[in-house]
Structures are given as C-alpha cells and as structure tokens.
Amino acid sequence: MREYFAFIFSFSMLLSACGGSGSSEQDAVSPMLPSIAIHNVSISEGDSGTVTMVFSVTLSTSSASIVSVDYATSDGSATAGVDYQATSGSLQFSAGTIDQTINVTIEGDTEIEANETLVVTLSAPVNATISQANATGIITTDDFSSLPGLDNRPDNQTCIAPARPNEDSTVAVIDPFPALPNISQPTKMLLEPGVDPRWFILRKSGQLVTFDPDNATTTSTYLDLSGIVRTASEGGLLGMAFHPDYPNTPEIFLSYTIDHSGPAMRSVISRFILDNVTNPGGGTVEQVILRVDQDFDNHNGGDIAFGLDGNLYIGLGDGGSGGDPNDRAQDTTRLLGSMLRIDVLGPGVSYPANPYAIPVDNPFAGNAKCGPGANAAACPEIYAWGLRNPWRWSFDSATGGLWLADVGQGSYEEVDVIERGGNYGWRCREGAHNYNPAGCGTGLIDPVSEYPHSLGNSITGGYVYRGSAIPGLIGRYVFADYGSGRFWALQSDGLGGFTNDQLIDTNFGPTSFGVDQYGELYFTDINNSRLRKLVPAGPPAADTIPTLLSATGCTDPADITRPYTGLLPYDINAPFWSDGAQKDRYIGLPNGTTITRNAEDDWEFPNGSVIVKNFSLNGNLVETRHLMRHPDGVWAGYTYEWNAQQTEASRVKGGKNVLIDGQLWTFPSEGQCMECHTSTANFALGPETSQLNKGFTYPSTSRTSNQLETIDHVMMFTSPLPGAASSLPVMPDPADSGASVSERARAYLHTNCAQCHRPGGPTPSTMDLRYTTSLVNTNACDATPLQGDLGIASARLIAPGDAARSLVIARANRRDSQGMPPLGSNQVDSSGINLLTTWINGLGDCN
C-alpha cells in the first residue's frame, strides 16, 4: 500500500514514488536568469566580545555573467549598535560561482534576555532575480536566570481534550477488545474457522499471533517467521489463508517476503502442515509452493485466499518503484502485476515435485509453469493482470465475486471486480484515465469505482458486507483509505455502475479488514496498533469539538489571540518547516497528570492532553492546530482558520487550501494530521528531551531559563530529570551557524523526515533518519533508491560528495507528487535545501 504505510521516500512516507524525468533546453537568445536566495541563520551571542553571524546567499544556478545584489541589515527585536553592528553593501558572484556570504558582527553580553532577531534584505539584483529577499538572523541567548522560568505549574482547568466526536454517520468505530495489548504493525486479521474461533493477526515483522475474543487480554505467538521474513519497505508477513477443511485438515497458507540476491526481495507462498492446530510446535512442516522475484521493495501485494472453486488466489503487485518502469503489469510472461489462481488441493498435487496444479480454465493454462523470474511464454498461473498493487481484496461470501482494491500512482485509487482473463489497465491506465498508454492494446477494463487523491492516497480493500447489524450496508462493498482514514461503501447507481458513499472520516490507519462468524466487519489500525470494529452509529450527537476556537478553553477569554493561562508555553531547537510561518507552541496538561519520558527521551502524554500550535504569516495569525489525546487514548488533530480581523478562528473540517497574501496555505484534514503524527514517532512530534533542552523566556515571569529544568521544577514530569540539563541530550538548531554542518543537517532530517522515516514508520522506505542514528545505519547513505530515481543518473538516497545525485535533496526540492514532505507544505525550504546540499557535498563517505 502507499504504499503499505505512504506516503513517504512515497521520500510513497505514506503510504509512493511515481518516477519520471524531465529535460529542458536553454534558450540561446533569452537565457533564464538565475535567482538569488538568502538563508536564515542563528548563533549564540556569547558573554563578551563579538561573534560573526554568517548568512549564506546562493544562486539557483551558475551564470556566465557577473551577478550582483545589494544588501542591508535592519532591526527585528535586536537593536543595531547594541546587539549587533549594522552593515550594508553589494555582493558579487563571479562567473560560474553560486555561493557567497554576508557577515554580521554580533555583540556578546551577560544580560538575561529573550532571543533577538535581525533581518538582512537583498535588493537591486543585476543579471539575476530574487527568490528569497529576506533572511532572519536569530541571536540566541546563553544567559539564563538562576531561577526556574515558572514558580508554579500552570493551572489547566479548561484546555482538556473532550471525548472523541461521534459523527452523524451510518457507522461508528469501536475498540471491541479494549483490554487487548497493542499489536504492532498489524497487516491482516482473520477469524479461525470452527467452533469457538480465535482471531489470527499477521504482523509485518513476521509473527502470527492469536487471541480469544471472549477473553481478549493477551495474545499468543502461533508461528514466528521473523528470522526469515524480509520486512524492508512493504515487505513482511502479508497474507494468510486457512485450508478450506481446517481444522480437520491442519494446514494454513502464508504469503511473505524474504531476502534474495538479484533482485533483493522474493515473495514466497507456503503451506504449513501443523503438528497441532491449537499451539503448533517443532513438528510443523513448511512446504514452499511458489516463489516470485520482486524488482524492488514495494508493491508486493501479498494477499491470498481460497475461492469458492477451491483454488488458491494470489495477488501480486507490479514489482515496485514508480510508474511500473519494467512494464511488469502488462507482461504476462511474468507473474507480477497479476491475480494468480492455482490448485493446491487437487489429486495431482504432491510436494516437492508438483506443489500446485493449473486450473484448466486459466487463460494461459496450456503453458509451462512460471516463476520465480522471467519466462518464455505467458504464465498459466495468471487469472487476470494489469494490476499495480492489489494490497487487499476479498470474495463476496454470497456470490463468490472477487472485489479488489488497487493502490494508485499519483492521482487515483480504484476498485475492480476481477474476472478471468481480464486486463485491468495498469500501467496504461491509472483508474479510468490514461497514464502511460504507449504500446497498449485494447480491451482494458476500467474500475467499477475510483476516487482522486484529494480524498485519500492508499486504498485498503474490504468486503461485501453480509452481516446484519448495519442493515444499510448489506450487499455493499465496504473499503477504506489508509492515508486519509476515510471509509466508503459502494452504492449501485441503478445503471450498472456504482457511486462512493462515504461512511465515516477517521484518523485511523486501516491496513486490512476482517470478518467475524456473523459477517460483521473489523479492521486493523496500524496508526494506533489496534483492532477496531464497524458498528451501527447511534443517534447523531453534538460534535464534541467546538466550531469556534474561543469555545475550546485553550485561549484567553479576554483576548482570543493570547493563550489560556493554564497552558505551558514551549519552544524547540529544530523546528519543522511550515512554509515560512512563525509558530508559537503550548501544552495543555490536565491537572494531576504528568509527562513520561520514555527510553528514547521522547515524551508520552496522558489522556486529555492538548498540544496547541499557532501559525502566523507576516505577523497575522493564520491557523491554530490542536493535537489531542482523547480520554479513550486515541490521538487526533483538529485545525482552526483565523478571520482577517483576528477576532475569531473557525474549525476547518476535511482540509482546505486558501491564498494568504499571495501564498497558498493548506489546512490539513483530520486524517492528514495523523499521517505525520505517527504512532512510531509517539504522535506528539516536537516535545522530546533533546528538542526542549534550551533556554526559553516565559512571558508570565519574563525569566529566561532552561525549559527542562523549569518543567521539572513545576513537577510536570512523572519522574525527576536524571541530572542537570547540561548533561542531557541537545539537538542543534539547523540554522545555528555555531554548530557543525553535519549536526545541523541531521537535526533538520530528524524534524522534517524522521516521523515517517524510522523503523516501523508508515513508508515504503527503510530509511532511519532519526538524529541519533549513525549515518552508516540510516540505510540512506550511498543507498540505491527503491521507489524511483526521478530520472537522475546513478541516483542515491544520499550520495556522499554529490548532492546532485541525492534523492533526499531532489524530493525535498519539489512540491509535486514526487516531493517531500508529501503533505502540509506548498513552498520549498530554500534554507533547508542549502544546508543539506552543503552537508552532502562535504561528505567523504558514510562513516
């Protein structure tokens, strides 16, 4: 899926790379002028003497002509002649150069004060244009009060997360097993056939676990394939089917991926003959039925199921990357990009000589068997083809119809009804639209339904509902989107087609559906490591999330633009790029609760917590976001749009885009909030020990003190700090010219990328971009991209010494479907690109 868990590189974190390249020709008569950008910087002032603040100024491309630009400093909160020495002049770039610097002298002092700012402005360019005219220099104070920033803990009476909203919807979502421990990275759930059945849960990491739904307090490991399963990208333990005569015939079938050489990943379909269906032991035997080589580490598909005809069906993706670069989905001499159908139960089947037979009515039944790689003729295992990534699909228990959700490329997600011999169009078509039709024939089958990426970006197939608890859904295909958290049911239009009827919009991450013995629907929620159930919605209730910001209890009743006094203000060392917006941050911690620092020095917040962030552009409030942990423990995000008069902000549902002073600004939907605030990153992204280990001037006392020591002093931590703040981890500010380029670049990647690009993250990438991970262990340095190369020759994720070949930079430097981050930004961070470029060009190796 997006690609199982994209988008992101998707950085497809979530969950996809589309590939593609471009070229341009320079106009010899009117060459395009390069653009000039100046980049933000910060530096510690020191106690005496002076330090030099160095502003980097760059050209977008080198010029054959001499380029010049004027510059001048001006006061922000800093004062010329007191805090810094004013300067102005003209900067020149000789032919062929692209980098210059402007030096500003900063005066050191021992005054306890807040951080101060100055501005450098570019003007009057010659032989160039200006893309970024202003840069802010932050003079960070290193003089702290001997007293904590606060004397007492803020008294939070009103800014507390309410119960989660109960939407006016056909269905609601419940946690049917609230006492069950979290199940990390669930990829599929199936109910055991027979009397008193257990639930079987597949985990991406290779474990198959079970639990008793009547006593759901613990799980048991049924089989453990973690020693052989390859979990990179979208690989792992992906599919399972019970023998049609289970438990009388004690066999299960599993689909998983393994390491392989040339290519690096292989899909495996195996039969497991169990020595004990209750608790398999050492007598269990695996018989490998089919092996299929994958071109890349994504688009593995992996779902398997027995049809009413007794044959085993196997869904496989196109082999990965973006855009099906090897044209596998239209190549029937390969097993990739297809729905396979094989006979594993017939009288002629034997192991190992003939582990499966070919159903006589398969489209290419007369040909020799295929796999694991290239073949001479069309594969007799193929039942249908032209699929991109059939992550989840199912049979209608009443009719036997095969309903399949195929994850899209960059624009559309689709639902198909699969018929024998059908070609479902990929890579010629994406949904019902041309994608790359060169060389494609006729007879391509369009989906029965599709939706654009404005509604979601990674479809999760479900089931035709045959339960009874939700009468309005009976006979309708129910499915969801992993990326947006939306759920739909197809509604017949009476003309042979279908329309999408949205059931509910959630902040969950549905990765698969399951059906109990009564036909009721469940799903795996990878965002929260939980199993959930669709139930009839009760009577519509009042929305628990206020429509107006002033009604949230998180603002000052006397002045809505100011925070409620019960909030804890804070700042972080390495801020997330938010299209140049200024941000203020606050924590609403319920009285009587505390923050726990975990083993990784990340912070875990209690139920009821609210994290508030205000965004301003040009001095005006634009947006306020609330990240809440509701009383049931579920995190969710909500956002408010400020009016032009700055007198109120109104809740935005479902996301929107607006123009603010000519700048496109995106308000995220509730589902999009949780695509970045991932469970693997512990939801609240900024608050962690190394991020808050810095001085902060508290408005209520005007004292500048270390934040960790202040929070510790007012007893908001569950346990005391293990030592002085000076002994604890510190993350540098990416703009701080006083820190090394390497430290600053790694901090930038940590904040902007590591919420998804880390172990267990929701991306088809194996990168680990956390600040604490050594470069050689990031799986990015000198690593070949698996999600497309954007047409860059000899591309690497990070190419030591060569930023031009580094996809980390190439993706961060664009804002299309190939860009990073995939959400929440419409403008490239030129300062960040400049920092990453300098860092990568200076790398000699990966050590």
Side-chain angles (χ1 to χ4, degrees):
M1 20 189 328
R2 190 163 335 310
E3 291 262 346
Y4 174 39
F5 333 133
F7 328 14
I8 357 168
F9 259 130
S10 266
F11 26 52
S12 22
M13 257 187 198
L14 247 243
L15 160 224
S16 105
C18 302
S21 62
S23 62
S24 61
E25 297 181 2
Q26 189 177 41
D27 188 333
V29 177
S30 302
M32 182 176 294
L33 294 176
S35 61
I36 309 173
I38 185 168
H39 308 287
N40 298 334
V41 67
S42 70
I43 194 169
S44 180
E45 64 182 355
D47 291 337
S48 62
T50 62
V51 293
T52 302
M53 178 177 281
V54 181
F55 288 84
S56 174
V57 185
T58 58
L59 291 182
S60 60
T61 183
S62 61
S63 173
S65 303
I66 295 175
V67 172
S68 66
V69 66
D70 293 343
Y71 65 87
T73 57
S74 60
D75 290 353
S77 57
T79 302
V82 177
D83 301 305
Y84 73 98
Q85 297 176 13
T87 185
S88 61
S90 181
L91 204 63
Q92 286 198 341
F93 296 81
S94 58
T97 62
I98 60 172
D99 297 297
Q100 284 289 3
T101 59
I102 297 171
N103 296 337
V104 178
T105 301
I106 306 300
E107 302 285 351
D109 60 43
T110 57
E111 181 181 353
I112 298 173
E113 58 190 348
N115 293 342
E116 298 172 314
T117 60
L118 62 96
V119 177
V120 177
T121 301
L122 304 181
S123 62
V126 176
N127 294 323
T129 61
I130 296 177
S131 59
Q132 180 65 40
N134 299 303
T136 300
I138 302 174
I139 307 171
T140 60
T141 184
D142 50 11
D143 305 308
F144 298 157
S145 170
S146 59
L147 297 175
L150 297 173
D151 295 319
N152 301 296
R153 172 175 172 150
D155 180 16
N156 181 14
Q157 301 278 349
T158 61
C159 189
I160 299 170
R164 252 185 323 126
N166 176 23
E167 298 187 10
D168 181 6
S169 173
T170 307
V171 301
V173 176
I174 64 168
D175 185 337
F177 312 113
L180 192 71
N182 283 356
I183 300 176
S184 177
Q185 294 190 294
T187 55
K188 191 172 179 66
M189 62 186 300
L190 302 92
L191 192 70
E192 181 181 31
V195 179
D196 196 19
R198 296 167 293 178
W199 279 104
F200 280 60
I201 312 299
L202 278 65
R203 295 183 58 212
K204 187 176 188 289
S205 51
Q207 293 87 11
L208 173 59
V209 301
T210 66
F211 69 91
D212 179 358
D214 297 324
N215 186 27
T217 58
T218 186
T219 61
S220 300
T221 299
Y222 194 78
L223 289 177
D224 189 349
L225 278 63
S226 58
I228 61 174
V229 167
R230 175 183 171 95
T231 60
S233 187
E234 294 170 22
L237 181 55
L238 305 179
M240 176 182 171
F242 291 98
H243 189 287
D245 190 39
Y246 176 98
N248 297 322
T249 301
E251 295 179 2
I252 64 172
F253 298 78
L254 294 178
S255 168
Y256 60 91
T257 56
I258 61 172
D259 283 313
H260 185 60
S261 57
M265 180 179 280
R266 172 175 280 180
S267 290
V268 177
I269 310 298
S270 283
R271 178 199 311 262
F272 286 79
I273 302 173
L274 308 171
D275 60 356
N276 185 322
V277 296
T278 301
N279 186 22
T284 295
V285 175
E286 178 182 12
Q287 295 181 349
V288 175
I289 296 172
L290 183 66
R291 300 175 177 89
V292 182
D293 289 343
Q294 298 283 348
D295 294 332
F296 303 91
D297 276 359
N298 61 328
H299 300 186
N300 309 127
D303 216 358
I304 60 175
F306 282 95
L308 296 183
D309 58 7
N311 292 312
L312 183 66
Y313 290 70
I314 302 164
L316 291 173
D318 63 10
S321 188
D324 195 6
N326 296 328
D327 197 19
R328 300 304 193 205
Q330 290 298 314
D331 181 1
T332 56
T333 68
R334 299 267 186 162
L335 295 174
L336 297 171
S338 300
M339 178 62 69
L340 313 183
R341 181 176 69 159
I342 59 177
D343 176 8
V344 296
L345 307 177
V349 173
S350 63
Y351 187 84
N354 188 35
Y356 66 91
I358 302 297
V360 295
D361 60 342
N362 273 11
F364 312 110
N367 295 339
K369 291 180 179 178
C370 290
N375 308 279
C379 297
E381 297 87 351
I382 291 178
Y383 182 76
W385 65 98
L387 303 174
R388 184 177 181 272
N389 190 25
W391 167 247
R392 290 291 174 248
W393 46 269
S394 66
F395 292 101
D396 182 348
S397 61
T399 68
L402 201 172
W403 291 77
L404 180 146
D406 200 10
V407 179
Q409 178 69 30
S411 301
Y412 295 95
E413 306 295 302
E414 68 179 77
V415 176
D416 298 300
V417 176
I418 302 298
E419 302 289 346
R420 177 171 55 88
N423 180 349
Y424 290 84
W426 175 251
R427 48 95 183 143
C428 307
R429 308 265 284 172
E430 180 186 9
H433 312 268
N434 282 343
Y435 178 78
N436 180 8
C440 296
T442 59
L444 305 180
I445 301 174
D446 280 344
V448 297
S449 184
E450 67 175 10
Y451 60 89
H453 277 191
S454 59
L455 298 178
N457 55 21
S458 185
I459 192 171
T460 298
Y463 286 85
V464 175
Y465 179 72
R466 296 296 178 185
S468 59
I470 314 174
L473 293 185
I474 295 174
R476 299 170 64 185
Y477 181 67
V478 178
F479 61 101
D481 188 277
Y482 161 75
S484 68
R486 289 183 168 98
F487 286 70
W488 293 273
L490 293 190
Q491 178 71 55
S492 172
D493 62 7
L495 301 173
F498 297 89
T499 58
N500 282 356
D501 180 13
Q502 181 171 305
L503 301 177
I504 193 169
D505 186 359
T506 77
N507 62 317
F508 302 127
T511 52
S512 72
F513 283 80
V515 179
D516 68 13
Q517 64 268 49
Y518 308 108
E520 302 305 328
L521 289 176
Y522 298 70
F523 66 92
T524 54
D525 171 17
I526 198 170
N527 283 356
N528 298 282
S529 302
R530 302 300 297 168
L531 309 178
R532 304 196 186 275
K533 183 180 181 181
L534 296 180
V535 297
D543 194 342
T544 57
I545 307 301
T547 300
L548 299 179
L549 183 63
S550 58
T552 63
C554 297
T555 62
D556 184 342
D559 182 356
I560 187 178
T561 65
R562 299 177 60 83
Y564 168 51
T565 56
L567 301 183
L568 173 76
Y570 74 98
D571 194 12
I572 60 176
N573 282 314
F576 184 85
W577 167 249
S578 298
D579 286 3
Q582 299 78 47
K583 288 171 282 189
D584 298 312
R585 305 168 180 85
Y586 307 90
I587 295 171
L589 198 67
N591 289 342
T593 66
T594 53
I595 301 166
T596 300
R597 304 182 310 277
N598 64 22
E600 296 182 348
D601 273 330
D602 203 355
W603 293 8
E604 297 176 355
F605 290 85
N607 295 354
S609 296
V610 181
I611 297 176
V612 177
K613 188 183 294 185
N614 292 329
F615 298 79
S616 299
L617 290 173
N618 304 316
N620 290 320
L621 285 163
V622 172
E623 179 182 1
T624 293
R625 293 180 192 168
H626 287 178
L627 181 68
M628 298 183 178
R629 189 172 191 184
H630 291 290
D632 61 358
V634 174
W635 284 92
Y638 309 96
T639 189
Y640 292 83
E641 179 183 9
W642 282 87
N643 62 23
Q645 297 76 30
Q646 303 284 279
T647 57
E648 186 61 272
S650 300
R651 185 177 166 199
V652 175
K653 292 185 178 182
K656 66 185 291 188
N657 291 313
V658 298
L659 278 176
I660 300 174
D661 296 334
Q663 176 177 335
L664 182 64
W665 184 264
T666 296
F667 293 84
S669 69
E670 290 83 352
Q672 287 173 328
C673 285
M674 305 319 296
E675 289 187 43
C676 292
H677 290 275
T678 63
S679 59
T680 54
N682 217 22
F683 298 107
L685 304 181
E688 53 185 302
T689 299
S690 61
Q691 284 277 38
L692 272 80
N693 194 356
K694 63 175 293 184
F696 181 77
T697 302
Y698 290 85
S700 62
T701 64
S702 298
R703 294 184 212 143
T704 301
S705 300
N706 183 275
Q707 294 183 106
L708 298 182
E709 294 178 348
T710 296
I711 296 171
D712 187 51
H713 173 75
V714 298
M715 302 180 70
M716 295 178 78
F717 285 137
T718 303
S719 60
L721 292 175
S726 58
S727 68
L728 300 179
V730 181
M731 190 176 296
D733 182 346
D736 184 0
S737 59
S740 73
V741 169
S742 176
E743 292 173 328
R744 294 161 54 200
R746 291 303 309 278
Y748 184 89
L749 292 174
H750 177 93
T751 298
N752 289 278
C753 312
Q755 67 270 24
C756 293
H757 293 286
R758 62 171 62 203
T763 75
S765 165
T766 61
M767 287 189 293
D768 181 2
L769 296 179
R770 292 174 295 175
Y771 181 74
T772 53
T773 303
S774 65
L775 179 59
V776 70
N777 289 325
T778 60
N779 300 322
C781 189
D782 206 30
T784 302
L786 301 175
Q787 320 298 327
D789 59 13
L790 302 183
I792 298 173
S794 301
R796 296 291 185 268
L797 296 178
I798 295 174
D802 194 349
R805 290 195 296 118
S806 299
L807 282 186
V808 166
I809 290 179
R811 292 198 184 277
N813 202 26
R814 56 197 297 165
R815 287 296 181 270
D816 55 14
S817 62
Q818 310 286 344
M820 284 295 130
L823 297 169
S825 177
N826 300 299
Q827 295 188 353
V828 170
D829 180 6
S830 58
S831 296
I833 296 298
N834 182 60
L835 172 62
L836 295 177
T837 298
T838 301
W839 170 56
I840 292 177
N841 281 338
L843 290 175
D845 53 37
C846 295
N847 296 314

